[in-house]
Amino acid sequence: MSFIKEFREFAMRGNVVDMAVGVIVGGAFGKIVSSLVADVVMPVLGILTGGVDFKDLKIVLQQAVGETPAVTLNYGAFIQNVFDFVIIAFAIFMMVKALNKLKKPVEKVEEVVEPSNEEKLLTEIRDLLKK
């Protein structure tokens, strides 16, 4: 089997295509949620904390010297990413929960069918003949 044929079979498997779609949609979803955090949640959180912009929070470990930039510990960016993660994880949890509700098998209600008059009469005749 040639290498190209093997690769084509691998790439065209259902799982690989599904995974590729998931990665692409996940990337787009991540951008939407990151925008939600950066453009909606963080400004409100900044107002609640007195106008603090989390992206600007940092500790200077070493001052800038000449052309060399300062060495900083950017813990504000870390806080921003933690908020991104929590909101993305919550959104994915809610989406999976909703999908699981849709996938739940619908319980089949078995109808109790009343036997017809003919069946009842035949059953009585059978029972009488047994006696």
Side-chain angles (χ1 to χ4, degrees):
M1 185 180 276
S2 73
F3 179 77
I4 294 174
K5 185 176 179 183
E6 273 185 77
F7 179 73
R8 186 181 73 220
E9 286 178 12
F10 169 77
M12 297 312 291
R13 278 191 210 155
N15 293 343
V16 174
V17 174
D18 290 344
M19 185 178 70
V21 169
V23 168
I24 292 167
V25 170
F29 184 71
K31 288 180 183 180
I32 290 169
V33 175
S34 293
S35 175
L36 173 70
V37 171
D39 302 329
V40 177
V41 174
M42 295 310 282
V44 172
L45 198 58
I47 290 170
L48 294 175
T49 59
V52 175
D53 185 6
F54 283 91
K55 289 184 239 174
D56 295 334
L57 296 176
K58 58 187 165 192
I59 296 172
V60 177
L61 299 175
Q62 183 176 353
Q63 295 293 333
V65 178
E67 297 281 326
T68 307
V71 177
T72 59
L73 182 67
N74 300 319
Y75 67 93
F78 176 74
I79 292 172
Q80 175 81 32
N81 288 328
V82 168
F83 278 117
D84 281 350
F85 171 77
V86 169
I87 291 172
I88 290 170
F90 181 73
I92 290 173
F93 168 75
M94 295 305 291
M95 186 173 63
V96 168
K97 188 172 180 171
L99 288 174
N100 285 341
K101 270 189 178 177
L102 293 175
K103 285 184 178 181
K104 265 189 181 170
V106 178
E107 294 181 23
K108 294 182 180 179
V109 178
E110 292 185 26
E111 295 179 26
V112 177
V113 179
E114 186 73 26
S116 68
N117 288 333
E118 294 168 344
E119 289 175 336
K120 288 179 186 177
L121 188 58
L122 287 171
T123 305
E124 287 178 24
I125 292 171
R126 182 195 66 204
D127 292 342
L128 286 172
L129 287 173
K130 283 184 180 179
K131 289 181 183 179

